[in-house]
Amino acid sequence: MRDGSGRWGLGLAALAAVAIPFAVIAALDPRIGWLRPRPASETVQAPPSRLPDRSPAEATSAPRPEARSETRSESWPPAPERPCPVCAAADAPAPLRGALPDPDIQIPDVSAERAAQRERLIGWTAHPDRVSGSAAALDLIGLVFTAPRDPGTGYRPLAIDLAGAPDRAVVVVTEQPLRLALTSLPPDRAGALGVEASAAFGLADGRSGLLAGFRALPYGAAAVAPVLDPSRFGPGTLRDFCAALRLWAVQFGLPVGRTRYTLIENPTQIALAGEAVHTDGTARGRVSGRRLARLCRA
C-alpha cells in the first residue's frame, strides 16, 4: 500500500523481512529437497545408440582399434632423421705439418736387442756380497774419444789389464759404445770391473762374476755419471759425477777417500801397475784421495 506521497509503506518492508528467512530454510533443508541430490533412478539417461547387427564371427574377427593403429604404424616408412641443430661437430684431427709428433731422433727399434744384451751382462755380474771388500782402492777412469773409430768396426775396443794391481778395481765412465776385455789376477777374479755408460757396451770374453755391476742408459738406467772433463766442468756435471762416485764406493765397501779419478783421451789399452796407470792414450788429469773427497763435498 502506498501512503499519501505515492511510496510503499512500511508494510512491504516488514513482509520482505519475514519472507527471506523462510526462503533460505527451504533451500537448505534436505526434507524439502530443492537442492538435495537426485537418486540414480530419477536421472534421465540418453537412449543407447543402435549398432548394426553383426554375427559372432564378425565380432571376433574384427580388429580392435589399437591393433589397427599398430598395423598402420608398422607399414608406414620410418621418419627420416633430422640433423641436431645444437650438437657440436666432432673435432677433426690436426693436420700433420711435415714433422713427426715424436721430438726424439728417430732410430730403429732396438729394444729387443737391448733387453737381450742386458740379460747377458747381468749373467756376467758378480753377487754383490762378492764385490764388497774385494778391492783396497777404486779407480774411476773417464774416457774421452776425439778420433773416429776404425771403419767397419762396431764398438770401440778397450783392453784393461789389472794383473799388476790385484788389489785395485776399475770403473770405466764412457759416452761411446765399448767392447771391453779384462785381464786380472787371478783370472777368475770376481767383481774387478764396473761400467758407467750413456752408450751400450759389451764384453769381449764374458764370464760369470766378471762385472762388479753396471749402469747404462741403453739398459734401463735412469741416470748415469757424465765424464768429468775440465772443458765442460760445471756444478751439474760435478754433482752427478759425485753421486755416481758415492754409489760405486758403497758398492765396493770403500770410503770416498780410497777412490781415484783419471781422465784419458782415445785409449785402446789401459794397464794398472800398483798405483801407476799406463795407457796408449793421452792422460788428461787425475784427482785422488782427499782432494777428490773434498771436491765432492763442495
Side-chain angles (χ1 to χ4, degrees):
M1 291 182 294
R2 295 185 180 180
D3 56 8
S5 60
R7 297 181 179 180
W8 296 99
L10 295 177
L12 182 59
L15 180 61
V18 174
I20 290 175
F22 281 102
V24 174
I25 293 172
L28 299 180
D29 193 344
R31 292 173 297 178
I32 299 177
W34 285 2
L35 298 180
R36 66 180 176 87
R38 296 185 179 183
S41 59
E42 299 179 7
T43 304
V44 179
Q45 297 182 354
S49 59
R50 295 183 59 84
L51 297 177
D53 296 336
R54 291 183 297 176
S55 63
E58 292 176 349
T60 305
S61 61
R64 292 176 299 174
E66 294 82 3
R68 287 196 300 271
S69 62
E70 292 175 359
T71 305
R72 287 197 302 268
S73 63
E74 292 177 359
S75 61
W76 291 347
E81 296 183 359
R82 290 178 294 179
C84 176
V86 296
C87 297
D91 296 335
L96 294 178
R97 299 181 179 178
L100 293 172
D102 190 350
D104 294 336
I105 297 174
Q106 302 300 300
I107 60 173
D109 185 4
V110 294
S111 57
E113 177 185 354
R114 294 291 186 248
Q117 289 175 310
R118 179 179 180 274
E119 291 301 320
R120 184 164 55 250
L121 291 171
I122 289 178
W124 294 336
T125 302
H127 192 282
D129 293 346
R130 301 182 63 192
V131 176
S132 181
S134 63
L138 175 63
D139 279 273
L140 271 73
I141 300 178
L143 306 177
V144 176
F145 296 100
T146 58
R149 65 174 181 265
D150 295 336
T153 60
Y155 296 0
R156 290 181 181 271
L158 178 62
I160 299 176
D161 188 353
L162 297 181
D167 60 342
R168 303 186 74 91
V170 169
V171 174
V172 295
V173 183
T174 180
E175 296 175 347
Q176 292 193 20
L178 291 179
R179 180 75 60 188
L180 298 168
L182 178 67
T183 302
S184 63
L185 189 66
D188 60 349
R189 179 184 171 186
L193 176 64
V195 180
E196 186 92 5
S198 56
F201 74 93
L203 299 178
D205 298 309
R207 58 174 173 82
S208 176
L210 186 152
L211 290 172
F214 61 90
R215 293 205 312 167
L217 293 181
Y219 303 144
V224 297
V227 175
L228 195 60
D229 186 348
S231 63
R232 52 179 178 175
F233 186 85
T237 303
L238 179 61
R239 180 179 60 251
D240 296 341
F241 173 83
C242 291
L245 174 64
R246 296 187 189 97
L247 283 177
W248 285 108
V250 171
Q251 182 76 355
F252 283 93
L254 296 172
V256 176
R258 302 299 300 272
T259 62
R260 179 173 63 177
Y261 176 71
T262 305
L263 180 65
I264 302 177
E265 182 179 350
N266 296 325
T268 60
Q269 296 179 1
I270 299 174
L272 273 64
E275 294 187 359
V277 178
H278 305 284
T279 179
D280 61 348
T282 304
R284 293 300 186 187
R286 178 183 299 173
V287 183
S288 61
R290 295 180 180 178
R291 289 181 57 198
L292 185 57
R294 287 196 301 267
L295 183 64
C296 285
R297 283 199 302 265

